[in-house]
Amino acid sequence: MHFADFVAGYVGGAFGVVVGYPLDTVKVRIQTQNRYRGVWHCIRSTCKTEGVNGFYRGMLMPVSTVSLSSSVLFGTYRNVLQCLCQLRRGSPDVKPAKQDIFLSGLAGGVAQVSVMSPADIVKVRLQCQGLSAGATKPKYHGSIHCLLTIAREEGILGLYKGAQALALRDGPAFAIYFTIYNMICEQLAAPGQTQPEWKVVLLAGGLSGMCSWGIATPMDLIKARLQMDWMGEQRYRGFFHCITDSVRSEGPGVLYKGLSLNCIRAIPVNMAVFSMYEVVLRLLKPSA
């Protein structure tokens, strides 16, 4: 990867985090806190008690690690895709089959959990800090302090609470994402074009993101609840107990709490990522 591509990828990814973060905070809060009656109640309550800054709690960690997680995701995806093409068709440069794209996306999504899980648990805990019953004063004084405190009090493995659910979320989600993205780009690409136009890229990114969240939301909720199961008495005994307890106490629909927010957020986030990527790339490589 060239330096310009790396910088553009980082800026695009970070910009996407900033654009989608307020809705992500609302989504995490309604998934983990029963005090909110719905999306609008959560938004109004956050504005009233914390102001605009309340929507951006814990953003430093995902912004600072987006380049690393993206490198693992796309690096794994491309390497696995080339290996599958080599094994199936004798060359890494041939047009990949849909099942190869699906399997490569699955591998990339699971692989990035190794670097994403610590950043994600810090993000979730800071987003919901002070909201639980009995909370008096903030336990964490920022992203780095949160990271170090979790590692000290809960061990290094504490940074990977919910990692099983995160892998089951991101593996299938990125398998669906890359497959649908490639299918849309392939169908809408003009004859003779090797690369789709940016409008097609934006449309494909938004639609594939919405479809992937339809698969990912149940595990997204379980992940967030396991990550937040840290104040006072521990409620969940593990991954499967979290699923059964949530469904038993709140009904099967609880698994899709936050689905609408995830789907709505997918459109501006993907537009922000791809458009900023192109802008930065053209600034750094004027001839591109």
Side-chain angles (χ1 to χ4, degrees):
M1 179 182 288
H2 296 294
F3 176 74
D5 296 303
F6 176 83
V7 173
Y10 173 75
V11 174
F15 191 61
V17 171
V18 174
V19 169
Y21 205 81
L23 287 180
D24 183 71
T25 297
V26 174
K27 180 259 302 182
V28 169
R29 290 186 173 189
I30 65 173
Q31 285 179 333
T32 60
Q33 308 295 318
N34 291 325
R35 63 191 294 177
Y36 300 114
R37 296 190 298 270
V39 172
W40 290 111
H41 180 237
C42 180
I43 293 173
R44 288 195 302 269
S45 178
T46 302
C47 285
K48 183 178 179 180
T49 58
E50 304 168 62
V52 175
N53 289 339
F55 294 102
Y56 289 93
R57 278 188 180 187
M59 190 176 67
L60 175 62
M61 191 59 71
V63 166
S64 59
T65 58
V66 65
S67 60
L68 181 59
S69 59
S70 294
S71 297
V72 173
L73 168 65
F74 287 101
T76 303
Y77 168 75
R78 293 189 181 281
N79 284 322
V80 172
L81 190 61
Q82 288 180 348
C83 288
L84 289 174
C85 289
Q86 178 71 46
L87 288 172
R88 292 176 186 269
R89 303 192 180 186
S91 172
D93 300 319
V94 297
K95 181 180 177 181
K98 298 295 184 294
Q99 59 266 33
D100 294 338
I101 295 173
F102 183 91
L103 292 173
S104 301
L106 180 69
V110 172
Q112 74 159 357
V113 172
S114 61
V115 295
M116 186 178 177
S117 186
D120 195 66
I121 192 171
V122 170
K123 173 188 78 74
V124 169
R125 291 195 177 183
L126 288 176
Q127 283 174 322
C128 297
Q129 180 172 233
L131 300 177
S132 300
T136 54
K137 59 180 181 178
K139 180 176 182 178
Y140 306 122
H141 307 301
S143 296
I144 302 301
H145 181 252
C146 180
L147 183 75
L148 296 176
T149 301
I150 295 172
R152 183 177 65 251
E153 295 181 353
E154 305 170 45
I156 296 299
L157 291 179
L159 296 171
Y160 289 87
K161 281 185 176 177
Q164 183 180 9
L166 183 60
L168 291 172
R169 182 195 77 173
D170 285 356
F174 280 108
I176 295 293
Y177 182 90
F178 283 115
T179 304
I180 294 179
Y181 177 85
N182 278 276
M183 289 174 63
I184 293 174
C185 288
E186 186 178 298
Q187 291 295 319
L188 298 182
Q193 278 189 333
T194 56
Q195 297 293 332
E197 296 180 357
W198 67 271
K199 290 181 287 188
V200 174
V201 169
L202 293 181
L203 176 64
L207 291 178
S208 55
M210 292 174 66
C211 293
S212 65
W213 275 117
I215 300 295
T217 297
M219 287 299 103
D220 186 51
L221 177 130
I222 299 302
K223 169 201 70 74
R225 292 192 170 190
L226 288 171
Q227 289 171 332
M228 277 299 297
D229 193 29
W230 58 289
M231 292 188 65
E233 186 178 351
Q234 187 175 1
R235 177 175 179 177
Y236 305 117
R237 295 192 296 271
F239 173 73
F240 291 107
H241 180 246
C242 182
I243 296 175
T244 55
D245 184 77
S246 297
V247 172
R248 187 188 310 114
S249 59
E250 301 173 62
V254 69
L255 296 175
Y256 286 92
K257 260 189 177 181
L259 174 60
S260 59
L261 285 172
N262 281 332
C263 290
I264 292 170
R265 186 166 60 99
I267 299 174
V269 166
N270 280 282
M271 290 180 67
V273 170
F274 287 113
S275 58
M276 187 57 67
Y277 177 85
E278 290 295 332
V279 168
V280 174
L281 199 61
R282 290 177 186 180
L283 288 174
L284 297 178
K285 298 167 65 176
S287 59

